[in-house]
Amino acid sequence: MDLTTSITGFVALYIFMLAAFTGYEIIGRVPAILHTPLMSGSNFVHGIVVVGAIYALMNATTPLEQGIGFVGVLFGAANAGGGYVVTERMLEMFKPTDKKKA
Amino acid sequence: MNPHVIIDASYFAAAFLFIYGLKRMSSPVTARSGIVVAGWGMAVATLASFLYYFGVPAEVKPHLTVNIILAAVALAIGLAWAWRSGKTVPMTAMPQMVAIYNGLGGGAAALIAAVELLGAHANGYVELVVTIVGALIGSISFSGSVIAWAKLDGRINKTWRIKGQQVMNATVMLIALAIGAWIIFGMQGHAPALLVIGFFAAALVFGVLMTMPIGGADMPVVISLYNAFTGLAVGMEGFVLQNPALMIAGMVVGSAGTLLTLLMAKAMNRSVSNVIFSNFGVVGDEGQGEIKGSLKPAEAGDAAVQMRYASKVIIAPGYGLAVAQAQHKLYEFVKLLQEHGVEVKFAIHPVAGRMPGHMNVLLAEAGVPYDIIYDLEDINGEFATADVAVVVGANDTVNPAARTNKSSPIYGMPILNVDQAKQVYVIKRGQGKGYSGVENELFYKDNCNLVYGDAQKVMVAMIQAVKSLEG
């Protein structure tokens, strides 16, 4: 079974367009109190770049490529990890008046 | 089963979890679970990407063991460092921490592009253009974010401005674009390493030059802009790598980040281009009109007693509150007032703190429930009915000059109408000016008294004053 297809030209444009509207719609209705955590949360989401860096490093054939790929994975991992931790820390603190859980 | 099917399925799952997670993050009730959902998406995608092991071309096979070990080590170090720094960073330093994580993401996207360019992997003009543009944006985001971090962290204090700066910035940008165009159209992607390095150097320098002149209050907008930049760069490199997870996640963040940037700039009544190209606070110093009235100091205890017998108190906190680490004491005082039947509300200016929503985070840290915290639009009509308005560690966000004084650098910015309350108390450390360096007319008004002192000590004195009434 081969499900792999290549993403070219207009297919890529469709993906980009739909993703752009999705991002716009999600943020558009957010109350200001969540702007900081959300910026941090979206910062975490683009940490997915680590996956691309892993791919680049896996396919490296020269020491130069390996070196660049290594730093790329390092940076990407720091982006994803750090983004997650600070976002989670911030959101954990938001609680309503009625402290049922506490 | 074909490992690529598993990889593709995981990416699909990740894309879904990211969007669903972000959606949940957009309401305070579900926000906490949102980041966890998105976190699972990230974990699934990252683990699945190791399955590339089974699909590499023959010429990579001899290097594969080394590559896998390098990837695992880099992942471990990156995660460990980020986990540690993220857990220990104080809430007041959150903006610069977000900036540095974001910059690293942009750097990673630029490095992916570097591998593609150096190995001449990309072919065809479309792919090359996307690679180059992504590399440019990612590099600017990286070096710009590092400068933003250094500025917010107090490592670079001067606002660095020289004559003809915009000409210089434009020149550097043109050099980067020219080299990029040469790599694409002159060499069809087969560029010598030196040229690629030159391209990245120009892009990185531009990021530094672009960020250096931007001062204080505008920094959050810039960080948000770089967040959007990194998203776009990730999306573009995702296209080059034929990776839909990167494309979707990157583009969602790219557009969400752009919108967030516009919202922030709007809240400060500044356009994004204004933030980037104009020098805040340079003009307008001469035009400051005379201020009538005098500064009237007040004792913390007297202020506290008046609030104890008021029926409605609105508190407008600013970054100074968090610097003094007084938010816990403030909330203790608020609870005391609430016990005596006083209606207390918090009024948050969109740019209170160091980025929009930062103050909400700082108050949440002290345990203040989010449903007594109000945004500017929701609370501004209520100041007229408040007996007492308290300004703690805020300045520019309550300066009436923004409404009246056209020569003021903050003219036009919406402000909290604290001056409409019957009585205003301003708790501040000394007679200094605000972050923007503008004199505040509010402090001279007849209904305004100033309580000087460290916010935390003032709060302790206020708590004692109310408690001592009980005898």
Side-chain angles (χ1 to χ4, degrees), chain A residues 6-7 16 20 24 27 30 33 36 42-44 46 51 57-58 60-61 66 75 79 82 84 88-89 91 95 97, chain B residues 11 26 32 35 42 60 63 67 82 86-87 89 102 104-105 227 242 255-256 355-358 360 369-371:
Chain A
S6 59
I7 307 158
F16 279 144
Y24 185 90
I27 300 287
V30 168
I33 77 160
T36 288
S42 59
N43 176 37
F44 160 71
H46 67 52
V51 167
L57 178 52
M58 288 275 211
T61 48
Q66 286 174 326
F75 280 11
N79 181 185
Y84 183 84
E88 204 248 352
R89 261 183 74 193
L91 290 175
K95 290 190 179 77
T97 298
Chain B
Y11 289 168
S26 60
R32 172 73 206 291
I35 183 67
M42 189 69 76
V60 180
H63 305 278
N67 289 353
K87 283 280 182 206
V89 59
N102 171 54
L104 291 174
N227 187 37
Q242 294 281 300
S255 81
M355 53 184 191
H358 190 201
N360 304 81
Y370 60 75
D371 44 18

Side-chain angles (χ1 to χ4, degrees), chain B residues 59-292:
Chain B
E59 73 265 23
V60 180
K61 287 267 161 66
H63 305 278
L64 202 51
T65 319
V66 178
N67 289 353
I68 287 265
I69 293 170
L70 283 176
V73 170
L75 201 60
I77 298 176
L79 281 178
W81 172 78
W83 212 265
R84 229 183 93 86
S85 59
K87 283 280 182 206
T88 51
V89 59
M91 282 297 155
T92 43
M94 206 49 95
Q96 53 263 48
M97 217 58 216
V98 173
I100 197 75
Y101 293 142
N102 171 54
L104 291 174
L111 289 167
I112 292 173
V115 172
E116 295 295 311
L117 289 172
L118 288 171
H121 295 310
N123 43 46
Y125 287 134
V126 176
E127 225 173 289
L128 276 170
V129 168
V130 175
T131 310
I132 288 281
V133 174
L136 186 68
I137 298 174
S139 303
I140 293 172
S141 174
F142 174 68
S143 60
S145 295
V146 170
I147 298 294
W149 165 78
K151 284 195 150 198
L152 284 170
D153 215 40
R155 278 159 214 263
I156 302 177
N157 288 322
K158 282 182 293 186
T159 358
W160 180 83
R161 289 186 190 115
I162 55 164
K163 260 196 155 179
Q165 180 151 15
Q166 293 187 10
V167 178
M168 191 166 80
N169 289 9
T171 311
V172 175
M173 187 62 176
L174 281 176
I175 292 173
L177 286 175
I179 301 178
W182 191 14
I183 293 174
I184 299 167
F185 299 107
M187 306 178 148
Q188 275 78 34
H190 296 271
L194 215 59
L195 202 61
V196 176
I197 293 170
F199 167 74
F200 279 104
L204 289 170
V205 170
F206 181 79
V208 173
L209 289 176
M210 176 177 158
T211 321
M212 281 306 276
I214 299 170
D218 287 339
M219 218 31 121
V221 181
V222 178
I223 295 176
S224 177
L225 183 71
Y226 288 148
N227 187 37
F229 272 20
T230 302
L232 288 177
V234 170
M236 287 179 174
E237 299 312 329
F239 170 70
V240 177
L241 296 180
Q242 294 281 300
N243 185 322
L246 262 69
M247 290 172 72
I248 294 170
M251 205 53 178
V252 166
V253 175
S255 81
T258 306
L259 180 61
L260 209 53
T261 310
L262 293 173
L263 286 176
M264 286 185 192
K266 201 175 134 212
M268 298 168 71
N269 197 43
R270 290 169 56 70
S271 71
V272 175
S273 67
N274 209 328
V275 167
I276 294 166
F277 297 116
S278 83
N279 299 331
F280 188 81
V282 167
V283 284
D285 271 3
E286 338 76 63
Q288 204 148 75
E290 280 171 62
I291 296 172
K292 292 186 203 102

Side-chain angles (χ1 to χ4, degrees), chain B residues 279-363:
Chain B
N279 299 331
F280 188 81
V282 167
V283 284
D285 271 3
E286 338 76 63
Q288 204 148 75
E290 280 171 62
I291 296 172
K292 292 186 203 102
S294 58
L295 294 169
K296 299 165 290 297
E299 288 300 318
D302 298 342
V305 171
Q306 189 183 354
M307 282 183 248
R308 152 78 177 78
Y309 291 105
S311 59
K312 186 171 181 181
V313 173
I314 301 179
I315 299 170
Y319 190 64
L321 173 78
V323 171
Q325 286 293 316
Q327 59 269 48
H328 290 90
K329 287 286 167 205
L330 172 65
Y331 186 47
E332 203 181 320
F333 178 63
V334 166
K335 279 192 282 194
L336 207 55
L337 291 179
Q338 284 172 331
E339 280 165 28
H340 290 98
V342 183
E343 186 189 3
V344 185
K345 288 181 176 176
F346 284 87
I348 308 288
H349 191 274
V351 295
R354 283 293 177 267
M355 53 184 191
H358 190 201
M359 189 47 64
N360 304 81
V361 173
L362 295 167
L363 290 176

Side-chain angles (χ1 to χ4, degrees), chain B residues 393-418:
Chain B
N395 194 333
D396 296 329
T397 55
V398 293
N399 191 343
R403 285 198 296 252
T404 52
N405 186 351
K406 281 192 181 156
S407 64
S408 172
I410 58 169
Y411 177 73
M413 178 173 86
I415 58 156
L416 292 167
N417 299 327
V418 289

